[in-house]
Amino acid sequence: MGKKADGKVLAQNKKASHDYFIEDTYEAGMVLTGTEIKSLRNGRANIGDAFATIRGGEIFVHNMHISPFEQGNRSNPDDPTRTRKLLLHKEQISKLLGHSKQEGYTIVPLKVYVRNGYAKLLLGIGRGKKQYDKRDSAAKRDAQRDIQRALREKQKIAR
């Protein structure tokens, strides 16, 4: 019997693309306890304030909030924002460590999803945006929206 590949996004950090230039991404597995996977599948996670650190050759995510499962009992973890270990290959961790040591770079959790029945966290190497970079990104987005709107109007007239 084959594994199901749903890939449904359960939580997303929408501020990450606003605050950082994402240069590279890595898919990491998560070490969850008790009924945390059930809460994740119900969409009860928040990674807005989350960040990742590397200690002792292992990578951890902090401040990722997974609400306790309502129907759960004693297998519910006590702290919904506890530090959770992430699963990556040693080469990937060393690359992340090298990037994060550079000035202005950080490891940012981008989204949580389920692939082949396992919870995954997409990590990005982010370089912080300055205020003028954010304004520039907003201007480009608005210009692109105006171009698309003009193309749609032109197509309506052609019909």
Side-chain angles (χ1 to χ4, degrees):
M1 188 161 158
K3 291 184 179 179
K4 54 183 182 287
D6 30 14
K8 178 183 169 201
V9 175
L10 305 171
Q12 196 163 7
N13 188 354
K14 295 178 181 169
K15 292 280 289 176
S17 62
H18 183 259
D19 293 338
Y20 301 98
F21 292 113
I22 305 300
E23 298 189 356
D24 201 6
T25 59
Y26 295 89
E27 180 181 78
M30 287 190 288
V31 177
L32 301 174
T33 60
T35 56
E36 285 181 327
I37 187 66
K38 292 183 178 185
S39 292
L40 268 180
R41 287 181 192 275
N42 286 342
R44 310 275 294 151
N46 183 0
I47 59 171
D49 298 331
F51 63 96
T53 58
I54 299 175
R55 281 180 290 156
E58 295 179 331
I59 188 163
F60 299 91
V61 65
H62 304 271
N63 286 352
M64 183 171 110
H65 188 279
I66 299 178
S67 298
F69 189 59
E70 292 87 10
Q71 289 82 31
N73 48 17
R74 62 181 165 214
S75 61
N76 267 341
D78 294 332
D79 184 17
T81 59
R82 70 180 180 84
T83 301
R84 293 174 178 87
K85 184 176 174 181
L86 299 177
L87 306 172
L88 282 171
H89 294 287
K90 283 186 179 181
E91 300 84 35
Q92 293 174 321
I93 292 176
S94 63
K95 282 183 184 177
L96 281 169
L97 183 63
H99 283 299
S100 66
K101 292 280 187 200
Q102 295 177 15
E103 186 67 29
Y105 284 85
T106 186
I107 305 169
V108 184
L110 300 175
K111 63 182 170 182
V112 177
Y113 55 94
V114 174
R115 174 175 289 162
N116 295 334
Y118 295 102
K120 302 288 184 179
L121 178 70
L122 188 68
L123 295 173
I125 298 291
R127 183 168 47 94
K129 285 185 180 179
K130 304 279 190 265
Q131 189 64 37
Y132 59 84
D133 290 330
K134 293 179 186 180
R135 285 194 296 263
D136 188 42
S137 296
K140 284 182 182 175
R141 189 175 53 242
D142 291 342
Q144 192 65 31
R145 192 178 304 129
D146 291 340
I147 290 169
Q148 292 298 324
R149 186 178 302 126
L151 286 173
R152 275 196 302 273
E153 291 298 321
K154 189 174 183 180
Q155 286 176 349
K156 284 182 182 178
I157 294 171
R159 290 182 188 178

